[in-house]
Amino acid sequence: MSDLNALEQSPSAVPSKRWSKKKTAALIVGAVLVAGSFAGGLFIGIDSVDPRESAEYQSLTDSNEVLQGERDDVQSELDDLEGGIATRESAVEERTTQLDERSTGLDEREEELGSQDKEITAREKAVGKIEVEQAENSVENGVWTVGTDIKAGTYRTKEPVGSDCYWAVLKTGTNGSDIVNNGIPGGGRPTVSVKKGQDFESTRCGTWVKQ
């Protein structure tokens, strides 16, 4: 008990719980200096490293160059394709122009042929009409009654006759006994006129055509 009392009475035996202002200030200044030194060293260490010299940066740079090269290749292929397309389009346009010109020429030719067909048809009709008229107005070998078998008028041989050609104009109903006119031309293209009430006889004279 005496020892406890002795400790309570001695001020140097129990440490003081309070720091002096000077000690506190010194402690704060030291801490700040230490922290600043550490931070400064850290910043200096960071500033001294160039990120462009890192392996990661170099790898990215290499990859970018490869991609750029691939992009250039693709662009070159695209340019070639566009050039080929332009060439083909030009060829198609030229071929289309040629086909249009041929189509126009065919249309014109078709019109010409259509015109020619019309002309041919018209000529055929005209020739056919002439042939029909000639057939209706032609007389072959035989005896024909004017007004019944043939038309009245003047007839001429279609071709020159031979020396054995004989023709005669007879009075109708006389059975050839009443001869109005006759002839043996012996050549050339003889002409004979007949009228109603008469018969016309032709022997070896070929075809007679009404004039």
Side-chain angles (χ1 to χ4, degrees):
M1 189 67 178
S2 59
D3 293 334
L4 179 60
N5 292 330
L7 288 171
E8 291 177 353
Q9 293 175 0
S10 176
S12 59
V14 180
S16 176
K17 295 182 179 180
R18 296 182 179 177
W19 293 84
S20 65
K21 292 182 178 179
K22 291 182 179 181
K23 289 182 178 181
T24 300
L27 181 60
I28 292 171
V29 170
V32 169
L33 291 174
V34 172
S37 176
F38 177 77
L42 180 61
F43 292 148
I44 292 172
I46 293 173
D47 292 340
S48 63
V49 177
D50 187 352
R52 292 175 295 179
E53 296 179 357
S54 66
E56 291 82 358
Y57 182 87
Q58 188 62 41
S59 177
L60 290 174
T61 301
D62 295 340
S63 297
N64 185 55
E65 291 178 354
V66 171
L67 291 175
Q68 185 65 34
E70 292 177 353
R71 178 186 177 279
D72 293 340
D73 293 340
V74 170
Q75 184 63 45
S76 178
E77 292 178 0
L78 180 60
D79 293 340
D80 292 340
L81 288 174
E82 290 178 347
I85 291 172
T87 301
R88 287 194 293 272
E89 287 179 347
S90 177
V92 169
E93 290 178 359
E94 183 177 356
R95 183 58 177 167
T96 301
T97 301
Q98 293 175 353
L99 291 175
D100 290 341
E101 291 176 353
R102 289 186 59 186
S103 178
T104 301
L106 289 174
D107 291 340
E108 293 176 353
R109 182 58 178 164
E110 186 175 357
E111 291 180 1
E112 291 177 0
L113 290 175
S115 240
Q116 291 178 2
D117 287 341
K118 291 180 180 179
E119 292 177 359
I120 291 172
T121 301
R123 285 198 298 268
E124 287 177 348
K125 288 182 178 179
V127 170
K129 184 178 180 180
I130 293 172
E131 289 177 347
V132 170
E133 290 177 351
Q134 286 182 348
E136 292 176 350
N137 297 289
S138 296
V139 179
E140 302 293 339
N141 293 329
V143 180
W144 313 93
T145 298
V146 179
T148 302
D149 299 325
I150 62 174
K151 298 177 181 180
T154 300
Y155 290 82
R156 186 180 184 185
T157 58
K158 188 174 181 180
E159 302 292 341
V161 299
S163 59
D164 56 352
C165 169
Y166 170 77
W167 61 268
V169 177
L170 310 170
K171 187 176 180 181
T172 302
T174 64
N175 198 22
S177 61
D178 190 352
I179 299 174
V180 177
N181 194 7
N182 64 357
I184 302 175
R189 295 178 61 194
T191 301
V192 176
S193 296
V194 294
K195 61 184 179 179
K196 190 173 181 179
Q198 295 176 337
D199 292 341
F200 177 66
E201 179 183 356
S202 175
T203 303
R204 296 182 297 275
C205 296
T207 302
W208 297 76
V209 180
K210 187 176 181 298
Q211 302 303 295

